[in-house]
Amino acid sequence: SAASVIAAQAVLKAGGAYLPLAPSMPPERLRYMLMDAGVSLVLSRAEISGRLPKNSWFVADLDSLPSMLSDQSLNGSSPQLTDQSLAYVIYTSGSTGQPKGVEATHGGLRNLVDWHIRAFDVSPADRASAQAVVGFDAAVWELWPYLAAGASVHIPEESIRSNPQAMRDWLIAEKISITFLATPLAEQMLQLDWPSDCALRVLLTGADTLHRRPPKGLPFRLVNNYGPTEATVVATSGEGAPGG
């Protein structure tokens, strides 16, 4: 939701590091990650916070924050951060079965943002989608390059995120110019009919092996990407020839 984007941005502006957690995760997994990361503050919403495990962390309701901050100054100076300052933590499955936290720094995130803006000519005119699960590191990639470039980010309804036809129709209707779709969904989307005048110019994919080349005649580029979370989302990025 937009609230999760605003919350993450607020944490970074305050000089903190954020840990994105999907509320659909089992409570014990959430508890483990919250305790392992040493979290002191959880930003949530009323309809979700009841499912969170209880502990020493303070839970702040995002819906009530505007009234809580009404008497507070929002013009404080930003903290001094370096490339080594922690920006966010993402938990991977881990080879032992226990999730393992990967620490990403501002330097790594800035490198990703700068490369992405250059590689895909991102401008304020672009409209990007954000549909990855918040605990997946692709969600980082779907936000900060576009916000840093002054572009807009659009979030689809939950009901269409895994439906190829519905997602295509949403991308067209919202005039999305750059999107990221996980490999299985992207492969299905490549087989659909696309209008030649749609706004989409780049479809980014990754997270699994890509088994299909893009068919001829697509009105957008397909770019396949790979990278472990430890490499700040993307380590390799390549564009294949259409057809075949």
Side-chain angles (χ1 to χ4, degrees), residues 18-189:
Y18 71 94
L19 166 63
L21 296 174
S24 58
M25 291 178 179
E28 284 308 309
R29 184 179 177 89
L30 288 173
R31 177 185 294 276
Y32 174 83
M33 290 187 286
L34 288 166
M35 295 187 68
D36 185 66
V39 167
S40 57
L41 170 65
V42 177
L43 298 173
S44 186
R45 308 190 79 157
E47 66 268 26
I48 297 173
S49 57
R51 289 180 255 153
L52 291 172
K54 301 293 189 292
N55 207 286
S56 57
W57 43 77
F58 178 76
V59 180
D61 183 0
L62 288 171
D63 295 318
S64 64
L65 280 181
S67 61
M68 291 170 61
L69 296 173
S70 59
D71 297 327
Q72 302 294 322
S73 171
L74 301 179
N75 298 317
S77 60
S78 297
Q80 294 299 311
L81 299 172
T82 70
D83 280 354
Q84 286 70 46
S85 299
L86 191 62
Y88 66 87
V89 176
I90 295 244
Y91 275 77
T92 62
S93 58
S95 58
T96 63
Q98 288 280 27
K100 293 182 177 180
V102 175
E103 298 177 323
T105 64
H106 277 270
L109 180 57
R110 182 166 56 82
N111 182 61
L112 173 72
V113 168
D114 290 347
W115 164 78
H116 183 90
I117 292 173
R118 292 195 313 270
F120 304 109
D121 297 319
V122 182
S123 76
D126 277 305
R127 298 165 64 90
S129 67
Q131 61 90 38
V133 177
V134 294
F136 178 34
D137 64 353
V140 171
W141 194 19
E142 289 184 306
L143 288 180
W144 306 125
Y146 304 112
L147 296 182
S152 58
V153 176
H154 303 255
I155 303 172
E157 295 291 333
E158 193 73 19
S159 59
I160 71 173
R161 285 179 56 249
S162 58
N163 184 311
Q165 290 82 6
M167 178 59 72
R168 176 202 57 190
D169 295 345
W170 180 82
L171 291 170
I172 293 171
E174 290 292 313
K175 295 181 172 56
I176 301 298
S177 55
I178 310 178
T179 188
F180 170 84
L181 300 172
T183 311
L185 179 59
E187 289 186 327
Q188 296 179 67
M189 302 276 282

